[in-house]
Amino acid sequence: MTNPMRGVFAVPTTPYSDDGDQNLDALGSRVEEVLASGVTGLLGLGATGEALALSAAEREAQIKTIVSAVDGRAHVVIGCMAYTPAEMSAQISDAASWGADAVMVTPPFYGGLEPDAVIAALHPVLTASELPVMVYNNPHSTGTDLLPDHLAALQQTGRLWSVKETSGEATRIRELRDRLGEDTEIFVGADGIALVGFAQGASGWVAASAWLLPEHCQRLWELADRGDWAGAVDLWRSLGHALGLIEGDSAFISLIKQALGRTGREQGPVRPPLPTASPDSLASLLDAIAELERKHAA
């Protein structure tokens, strides 16, 4: 399946009001700001968006808010993460009916399934999907590492739009590109190795950090995509430091939210049991962003 959706997909956080409810106005406002940077799209209801902490009604409200705010100006991908294939398929159908352009699924989590069992579970989900599907390989969270040969088995469904690769294996993007060819897009899913992934032929970047630093993340992709590697490396020296601080912190969602809050874009706390970033971590990130802005004004 050939699909033109490539480039940077920013991953929204879920802002909360003082009463603990979703702050959909804040979400819509940030969507506008991020789209202005030129990103290809948004990937809503990922881990960064605290998807597993939201009720079904909250999911619906958030998807509809993102789709309405985007208003056809960029692609909207929705995370449909669930344990059972039936629940994944139900979430995909809902996302399609509410206006999403594509969806993302993961291996069933909590269970450490063997890759063949995961592919057997995902195959009917992709076959029945009304939308193109991104498969998220995140062995650190799911306990299963899907190798290129495993993922190739899903191409026959005709719905494997892309793979989001977050194993951290140094040559995995290249291996995926070699095995899956050009019909399946390959996205870097780990912010700290974005430039390495681009150099290996990645189609783009699913970036939590692009919700905080959209202009710089988009600029990095544009430089790499047109082959300006000297410019990309120069930007990466500063951007990579900030991204490493985010990705290396177990409270990275809180860290992104707090950093946005310091710019007047209040996000509220994370929901338990997610951890809250420390003041020292926030201070270090803000210093790194200030240095980034000094050297590379957006």
Side-chain angles (χ1 to χ4, degrees), residues 13 47-50 249-258 270 274-275:
T13 57
T48 302
E50 303 177 61
D249 197 315
S250 62
F252 74 95
I253 301 171
S254 171
L255 195 55
I256 292 171
K257 284 186 158 188
Q258 289 188 54
V270 292
L274 290 174

Side-chain angles (χ1 to χ4, degrees), residues 75-201:
H75 296 293
V76 175
V77 183
I78 296 298
C80 296
M81 300 178 290
Y83 186 72
T84 67
E87 179 59 23
M88 288 184 211
S89 292
Q91 290 187 13
I92 290 170
S93 293
D94 286 340
S97 69
W98 297 328
D101 298 304
V103 295
M104 180 185 76
V105 299
T106 68
F109 38 82
Y110 189 72
L113 298 179
E114 291 298 321
D116 288 344
V118 170
I119 297 304
L122 293 182
H123 198 284
V125 173
L126 269 68
T127 299
S129 177
E130 300 96 321
L131 296 174
V133 179
M134 168 185 282
V135 174
Y136 184 12
N137 184 45
N138 184 2
H140 308 292
S141 295
T142 66
T144 306
D145 189 9
L146 298 178
L147 301 178
D149 282 345
H150 301 132
L151 291 160
L154 296 175
Q155 288 183 304
Q156 64 187 259
T157 66
R159 280 304 193 186
L160 182 63
W161 152 50
S162 63
V163 174
K164 178 185 175 185
E165 167 53 37
T166 317
S167 71
E169 295 295 329
T171 59
R172 184 65 63 82
I173 296 290
R174 175 183 58 77
E175 293 164 357
L176 285 164
R177 176 59 71 210
D178 289 347
R179 181 66 178 86
L180 301 181
E182 298 298 324
D183 287 342
T184 300
E185 307 291 3
I186 312 298
F187 287 85
V188 180
D191 290 357
I193 59 170
L195 188 57
V196 173
F198 298 163
Q200 292 184 31

